[in-house]
Amino acid sequence: GAGVSQSPSNKVTEKGKDVELRCDPISGHTALYWYRQSLGQGLEFLIYFQGNSAPDKSGLPSDRFSAERTGGSVSTLTIQRTQQEDSAVYLCASSHSPGFPGANVLTFGAGSRLTVL
Amino acid sequence: AQTVTQSQPEMSVQEAETVTLSCTYDTSENNYYLFWYKQPPSRQMILVIRQEAYKQQNATENRFSVNFQKAAKSFSLKISDSQLGDTAMYFCAFIDSGGGADGLTFGKGTHLIIQP
């Protein structure tokens, strides 16, 4: 696609429910990143994918968070048993592979705003 | 680990004025990239300008320019002839030249308000 697409744009859920957030990166971008932006805060790095592989999952806040990427394209971030502190904007970004021109320039989606009641 | 510090949580200037946003960073790397991203209320993070650490010349993009001081680890953004549409959160960000697993490290942002 022409840009990074994220869905849903907004999600309101009840505490304890599971949510799934989707990211569709720019075609040809093999690197994909998830960030969390809490109200009034900067961006917190969650996880990085190179292709379908995530070499380091230590940035995920808890074991309720998981992420996967299939076919080297679409990625989903799943939050199980949501808590109120999970309320935030979840941003996805993609880029070319390290070593390729433009690899260091991340293009962001518009984010998914999650509100846990 | 790299850190990025933006010491101005909020700034407000009149339209057409020039404003400078501050950013300092800490790294042991010699090759890296620095960025300024703009985030308007739409939430879309938009790349404003980038600087490669090995280049001494300061980057410019139309009304936007940077003052990159590598020894001081300083990377400020100057916006000339500010416009109402410049109102947004501005984030300074760092990535090492290898890119990849660490992604971008962001500062906490500066909320810039352009007054009519």
Side-chain angles (χ1 to χ4, degrees), chain A residues 9-10 33 35 37 41-43 45 48 89 98 104-106 108-111 113, chain B residues 33 35 37 39 43-45 47 50 91 96-101 103-104 106 108:
Chain A
S9 178
N10 289 284
Y33 304 83
Y35 288 85
Q37 185 177 25
Q41 298 296 310
L43 279 75
F45 171 72
Y48 156 75
V89 174
N104 298 306
V105 179
L106 274 62
F108 284 82
R113 181 182 297 280
Chain B
Y33 296 80
F35 304 85
Y37 277 88
Q39 187 181 40
R43 299 199 307 251
Q44 183 79 52
M45 294 282 282
L47 178 64
R50 69 170 172 164
F91 292 95
D96 69 47
S97 61
L104 285 164
F106 286 88
K108 291 192 179 299

Side-chain angles (χ1 to χ4, degrees), chain B residues 23-29 32 68-75:
Chain B
C23 173
T24 58
Y25 59 95
D26 190 21
T27 182
S28 59
E29 300 286 336
Y32 49 87
F68 173 48
Q69 301 290 328
K70 190 173 184 180
K73 296 180 181 175
S74 171
F75 183 61

Side-chain angles (χ1 to χ4, degrees), chain A residues 7 9-11 13-14 25-26 31 37 39 41 43-44 47 49 52 55 59 67 73 83-84 86 97 99 107-108 115:
Chain A
S7 61
S9 178
N10 289 284
K11 175 72 175 178
T13 191
E14 294 179 345
I26 291 174
Q37 185 177 25
L39 185 63
Q41 298 296 310
L43 279 75
E44 174 190 5
I47 195 167
F49 285 92
N52 292 335
S73 182
Q83 304 294 312
Q84 289 181 332
D86 299 333
S97 299
T107 302
F108 284 82
T115 303

Side-chain angles (χ1 to χ4, degrees), chain A residues 70-94:
Chain A
T70 56
S73 182
V74 172
S75 176
T76 54
L77 178 69
T78 302
I79 309 173
Q80 294 178 310
R81 304 181 302 282
T82 52
Q83 304 294 312
Q84 289 181 332
E85 61 262 29
D86 299 333
S87 295
V89 174
Y90 291 83
L91 290 164
C92 175
S94 69

